[in-house]
Structure formats: structure tokens, C-alpha cells
Amino acid sequence: MPRPVIFDLFHTLVEGADQERDRVVGEMALIVGVAPAALVAAYHASWRDRLVRWDVEETVRLLAGRLGGAPTDDQVTRAGHLRRALARRVLDSVSAATLGVLDALRAERHPLALISNATSETAEAWPGSRLARRFDVAIFSSEVRLAKPDPAIFKLAAERLGVVPTECVYVGDGADGELAGAAAVGMTVLRTTEHNDTDPSWGGPMLAALGDLPALLREPAGPHLASTSDSQIR
Ligand SMILES: [Mg+2]
């Protein structure tokens, strides 16, 4: 069977949109009546809670409250709309080339999964995106309440694909220690630098362009693409 491929989302399949995120949070701050720079800083400081615990409205209400604000329900809802619209825009920004890579992998019958450390609005926007129908499995930290690099989230993706982790190839830019996390459960790891050089200290194989992936996976498994179990057998 062609090897299952598991992708990260931000800075792997789409841009991370880091600056736009800060700009949108600044606009949200004006709606809920707190200082934009302070809300941006509070957003950055609370990333862990946002990935696995809070939805958009909880985030806005809690963080604005910590900054001395007392937004009304209507203000919280309006601020949340901005963040939801951002999530849709970021998913919509996927390039035709990336969609083409996914289609090529599907045509060659590679099972495909996504594991994303993402806040709830991205998980909500996913089913309506052009990416969603190309994946057999999509796992968001906000839905499963686990985040990379926890080995459990990688094992969950393999389990939902109906395979063992050592059969899988994991492709990501390397944020949040994901490459080490995937390697720890025995996945073959490819670091992509197409969008961002996130984890230059990673010593494993690198993929400069996602477009090279289908051909790379077609090669007879070289040592760098051998799964952990294969290497142990040799
Ligand atoms: Mg990433």
C-alpha cells in the first residue's frame, strides 16, 4: 500500500498569516474596548489554552476581562466574527500547486491525514475549505484536546487511518516540536521549508518544495525515507 502521509497545516499547506492574525486581534480589541497591543500580547501568551481549551468567544471574554474590559455579548460575538472570517481566509489561501500535490497523492492512493495545532475557528472552517475533501482524516488540537508534540495526537491520526505510526510519513515545518514528536512514535519525518524555515536545527531530510513530494514517495525507499521499523529490520 502507498504510505500514508500526514500533514501539518500552517506553514506547511497554507501560510501561517502571523501578521494578519495580530492585525485582526487588534481590530477585535477595538470592538471589545481594550488596548490592541495588550490584546495581541495576551493572545500570544495564551496560545496553549487557545489550542486545546477555549473557543473564540471564551478567549475574547477571558482575555478582555483580564485587561480590565467588560465586553457585552454583542461585542464578543462581533469580535469572534472577525477571527472566524480570518480562519476562512487563511484556509482559502491554499495554492493551486498545493491542491495539485494533494490530488496527485490521492491519485496514487496515499491515505492522507492532517494534524493541526489550531484554535476552534480553524476546525469550524475546515469542512467548508477546498482542503477538507482531499483528506481521509483531519485532527485539530481544539477538538481532541491534545496538541503536538504529544505522542498521543500522532498515534490518534495513525489509528484513525487504520495504520500503525511507523507506516506514516509526517510532513511539517516544525513548529511546536512536531518533527521530534512524530519521530518519537516512529513516523518518517520530512521537514518542509516551502513556507517558512521554522526549525533549522532539525537534522532530518528536508523538502524545499511540496511539489517534490509525490516523486520522492515514488522512489524505492532510500535510507532517509525508510520507516523506523524498516531500519530496525535491516
Ligand atoms: Mg506548522
Side-chain angles (χ1 to χ4, degrees):
M1 182 183 79
R3 294 185 72 177
V5 185
I6 303 177
F7 289 94
D8 167 51
L9 177 60
F10 300 116
H11 285 136
T12 295
L13 297 174
V14 296
E15 291 290 342
D18 298 336
Q19 288 180 349
E20 196 185 354
R21 285 173 200 281
D22 287 354
R23 184 183 60 72
V24 167
V25 172
E27 288 176 20
M28 293 160 66
L30 297 177
I31 292 175
V32 299
V34 298
L39 189 62
V40 170
Y43 249 79
H44 283 283
S46 62
W47 65 274
R48 185 81 203 178
D49 284 320
R50 292 187 292 107
L51 285 184
V52 297
R53 290 176 60 197
W54 304 338
D55 69 16
V56 190
E57 283 74 22
E58 281 176 290
T59 300
V60 172
R61 195 181 303 284
L62 277 162
L63 297 184
R66 286 179 188 176
L67 297 171
T72 64
D73 288 349
D74 177 61
Q75 286 172 312
V76 169
T77 300
R78 282 194 289 130
H81 281 166
L82 289 187
R83 188 80 187 181
R84 289 176 206 278
L86 169 66
R88 289 192 295 272
R89 277 202 304 282
V90 173
L91 289 175
D92 276 350
S93 75
V94 64
S95 71
T98 294
L99 294 175
V101 169
L102 297 171
D103 289 340
L105 295 175
R106 289 194 68 78
E108 295 183 23
R109 308 210 172 281
H110 290 277
L112 302 185
L114 177 94
I115 305 177
S116 181
N117 279 2
T119 49
S120 61
E121 63 273 21
T122 297
E124 288 170 25
W126 175 259
S129 76
R130 288 176 291 165
L131 285 159
R133 67 171 183 275
R134 291 168 163 95
F135 283 83
D136 302 294
V137 166
I139 294 176
F140 293 93
S141 59
S142 57
E143 289 186 342
V144 298
R145 307 218 154 199
L146 293 166
K148 296 179 283 187
D150 188 333
I153 200 167
F154 295 97
K155 289 179 184 167
L156 183 63
E159 186 186 312
R160 289 192 183 171
L161 284 169
V163 300
V164 294
T166 51
E167 290 178 72
C168 300
V169 175
Y170 185 82
V171 181
D173 67 291
D176 303 337
E178 65 183 344
L179 305 179
V185 299
M187 292 181 182
T188 298
V189 172
L190 289 173
R191 178 170 87 94
T192 170
T193 53
E194 180 168 304
H195 291 276
N196 201 51
D197 191 6
T198 306
D199 188 5
S201 67
W202 180 253
M206 213 178 81
L207 196 60
L210 219 53
D212 295 338
L213 186 58
L216 189 63
L217 292 171
R218 247 178 263 130
E219 286 173 11
H224 64 287
L225 265 186
S227 68
T228 307
S229 56
D230 289 343
S231 318
Q232 285 164 351
I233 290 163
R234 281 192 190 115

